[in-house]
Amino acid sequence: MAETEAALRTLAHNVRAARTRAGLSLDELGRRAKVSKGALVGLEKAQGNPNFATLVRLADTLGISVSALMEGPAEGRVRVVTADAVMPLWAGKKGSEARLMLTTSGPAPVEVWRWKLEPGEEYPSHPHQAGVVETVSVTAGQMVLVVDGTEYAMESGQTATFEGDTPHTYRGSGDQTCHLIMTVHIPPGPAATA
């Protein structure tokens, strides 16, 4: 329980700091991110339990990575993260999951994700801010990547990249669990005025 409370306090601090740096009021951030002002007030007070979609919308609107909202201060020059040290940010009903392993620092950060997709289970993602580029590398199994309504069958050893500012979905296919590494390349600076 103490770990969850500490994570909420870190999230609250990071959202407030990023909102202040971007020069946005609670009302304006809420409008741009499509999150209620009440939810934002609660979030900045380390209350509530924001879902993954809300975190993505806030990060996109603030022009930062999801993990920048969740991480404490850097601990050193090299950061090593194991999969079991990171809680899934999304879990499907059939056992699929997505874990945000880390985000690089700098003006154009890159998020590194580990995904597990069970056959027939999918995650539909809303469009990100303009300039976000995703890369998906299948390391085991098969999946279908859907970008702006077009399906792309992928299997182990294949990599795809696409602009993330359009609707996209990741769907497990075949008869085995699909494992993939996804990177999300975030453009520098805060998001443009919506």
Side-chain angles (χ1 to χ4, degrees), residues 126-140:
H126 78 291
H128 300 292
Q129 68 176 330
V132 170
V133 175
E134 292 193 20
T135 301
V136 178
S137 295
V138 179
T139 59

Side-chain angles (χ1 to χ4, degrees), residues 131-157:
V132 170
V133 175
E134 292 193 20
T135 301
V136 178
S137 295
V138 179
T139 59
Q142 299 172 325
M143 71 170 285
V144 174
L145 172 65
V146 183
V147 178
D148 203 18
T150 302
E151 295 188 0
Y152 302 89
M154 296 182 64
E155 60 186 42
S156 182

Side-chain angles (χ1 to χ4, degrees), residues 9-40:
R9 283 193 304 274
T10 298
L11 177 62
H13 173 269
N14 292 345
V15 168
R16 188 172 39 257
R19 179 177 62 78
T20 301
R21 277 193 309 274
L24 298 174
S25 67
L26 284 167
D27 287 324
E28 185 61 16
L29 176 58
R31 184 187 69 74
R32 291 184 188 187
K34 298 181 176 100
V35 175
S36 74
K37 181 179 178 181
L40 286 174

Side-chain angles (χ1 to χ4, degrees), residues 1 7 10 17-18 46 51 55 60-61 71 82 88 98 101-102 121 126 136 139 159 161 172 176 182 193:
M1 187 63 130
T10 298
N51 65 30
L55 294 176
D60 279 351
T61 302
E71 291 179 343
T82 59
M101 300 306 295
L102 62 86
E121 191 157 42
H126 78 291
V136 178
T139 59
T159 300
T161 188
Q176 300 175 18
M182 177 179 68
T193 301

Side-chain angles (χ1 to χ4, degrees), residues 90-97 116-124 142-144 169-173:
W90 171 76
K93 293 180 181 176
K94 296 181 180 179
S96 298
E97 64 180 29
K116 179 173 79 169
L117 292 170
E118 295 301 330
E121 191 157 42
E122 67 180 34
Y123 178 80
Q142 299 172 325
M143 71 170 285
V144 174
T169 300
Y170 319 103
R171 181 184 319 130
S173 62

Side-chain angles (χ1 to χ4, degrees), residues 3 29-30 56 86 91 100 139 144 158 167:
E3 188 175 297
L29 176 58
V56 170
V86 181
L100 176 56
T139 59
V144 174
Q158 292 184 316

Side-chain angles (χ1 to χ4, degrees), residues 31-88:
R31 184 187 69 74
R32 291 184 188 187
K34 298 181 176 100
V35 175
S36 74
K37 181 179 178 181
L40 286 174
V41 168
L43 184 60
E44 288 194 4
K45 290 182 177 180
Q47 300 168 346
N49 186 17
N51 65 30
F52 179 53
T54 297
L55 294 176
V56 170
R57 286 194 310 271
L58 286 171
D60 279 351
T61 302
L62 292 166
I64 61 177
S65 67
V66 172
S67 64
L69 291 177
M70 300 171 57
E71 291 179 343
E75 296 178 12
R77 293 184 69 153
V78 176
R79 186 171 26 144
V80 178
V81 181
T82 59
D84 60 349
V86 181
M87 295 296 297

